Amino acid sequence: MPVVFDSPRDLLGREGESLGVTEWLAVDQKRIDAFADVSGDRQWIHVDPVRARHGPFGKTIAHGYLTLSLVNLFLPQLIEVRNFSSGVNVGVDGLRFLAPVPVDSRIRGRGELVSAREQEDGAIRAIVRVTVDIEGVDKPACVVDTISLYS
């Protein structure tokens, strides 16, 4: 269940609040191959299981940008903001890929409201840090600060 904020203004003063974790999501070869098809990145470390067996990770790994794209799947599972007329994804800050996601791993998102500020035009700018955990691995796959603007 996401943490619910009844309005963007309710984000103010809640900096540092944990938004919990999502359910685990399997990252199988089918998902990796589909991302390779869409992105055009068909590098062997992602799409050639035979060759990857002899590579640095012993199997294929998910693209870093596949991991990042799944943050968009995790965000609405972590946070729900209600009663606004416009919500826009402004971008990201502080993106880091810290550990590879091997094929057949399970990942999840962990969220934290880093900041919420009212802008001069009255819109609320919120930064949510999403950490992508890999089941059974101490180091996260990815950490990214997502930036949203609500008006």
Side-chain angles (χ1 to χ4, degrees):
M1 289 295 292
V3 175
V4 176
F5 296 88
D6 287 326
S7 75
R9 296 187 92 41
D10 289 343
L11 295 163
L12 300 172
R14 305 278 294 270
E15 294 85 355
E17 185 169 320
S18 171
L19 302 173
V21 297
T22 68
E23 297 293 320
W24 291 105
L25 175 73
V27 180
D28 58 13
Q29 192 64 49
K30 182 178 177 182
R31 185 182 298 270
I32 293 170
D33 290 344
F35 187 82
D37 290 342
V38 169
S39 68
D41 182 351
R42 299 199 52 79
Q43 209 254 357
W44 64 267
I45 203 162
H46 306 301
V47 298
D48 187 341
V50 174
R51 185 171 178 191
R53 253 186 258 139
H54 304 288
F57 304 105
K59 57 175 70 174
T60 58
I61 61 169
H63 306 72
Y65 286 112
L66 167 56
T67 304
L68 174 61
S69 73
L70 292 170
V71 167
N72 194 54
L73 175 70
F74 295 146
L75 270 171
Q77 297 175 44
L78 295 168
I79 184 171
E80 179 182 338
V81 180
R82 297 178 177 166
N83 300 308
F84 59 89
S85 60
S86 174
V88 179
N89 172 1
V90 178
V92 299
D93 279 336
L95 170 62
R96 296 292 181 264
F97 298 115
L98 301 172
V101 177
V103 66
D104 298 324
S105 296
R106 292 190 336 151
I107 62 173
R108 69 178 180 192
R110 183 167 27 103
E112 174 191 353
L113 180 60
V114 173
S115 72
R117 291 189 323 225
E118 184 172 5
Q119 299 191 146
E120 286 183 22
D121 63 1
I124 304 297
R125 182 178 187 268
I127 298 177
V128 173
R129 178 167 296 140
V130 179
T131 301
V132 179
D133 297 318
I134 309 166
E135 188 174 38
V137 177
D138 291 334
K139 189 183 271 190
C142 174
V143 178
V144 61
D145 289 348
T146 66
I147 306 168
S148 299
L149 193 60
Y150 301 96
S151 55

